[in-house]
Amino acid sequence: MEIFGTVRKVDATGRIALPAEMRRTLGLTGGDTVEIVSEGAALVLRKYQPTCFFCSGARDIYIFRGKNICRRCLEELELWSAPQAGHEDRMTSSGLPDQLP
């Protein structure tokens, strides 16, 4: 990883301009989403990569009811919630599980 720094002023609306070299290094182009994280007295800026709410995986991400879920976890949830022979009472009338399997 290449390490370099620069000094920039924050404008009246709180914006800073990222130098072209930094944008290239991060693979950022206009319209990309970035994640800004506070770590002590430092701010960490990185290209946003959506991850699964359950396993933190970053492949095949879908949005389900406002949460990012990967294909694998979504398939596990579908299997878990599907009625199985002899377990028809697994779900309550509210649609929530009566108890964990």
Side-chain angles (χ1 to χ4, degrees):
M1 172 194 266
E2 185 177 345
I3 298 176
F4 54 90
T6 188
V7 176
R8 292 283 194 242
K9 285 190 177 188
V10 178
D11 74 11
T13 62
R15 296 177 296 194
I16 58 170
L18 297 176
E21 183 179 351
M22 286 184 175
R23 292 192 312 267
R24 277 193 299 273
T25 299
L26 293 172
L28 293 172
T29 59
D32 283 347
T33 303
V34 295
E35 180 177 20
I36 304 168
V37 180
S38 172
E39 291 184 3
L43 292 177
V44 177
L45 178 75
R46 58 184 155 237
K47 190 170 184 175
Y48 176 67
Q49 177 79 32
T51 57
C52 178
F53 176 79
F54 296 105
C55 72
S56 298
R59 298 184 66 174
D60 298 325
I61 299 295
Y62 299 90
I63 298 174
F64 179 74
R65 295 189 179 172
K67 302 289 184 200
N68 294 330
I69 301 177
C70 71
R71 178 187 301 265
R72 194 178 105 237
C73 289
L74 187 58
E75 288 171 356
E76 284 183 38
L77 285 170
E78 287 171 349
L79 287 174
W80 183 80
S81 66
Q84 298 173 4
H87 296 282
E88 289 78 12
D89 61 342
R90 190 170 182 177
M91 302 297 275
T92 64
S93 59
S94 68
L96 298 174
D98 188 33
Q99 60 184 358
L100 293 176

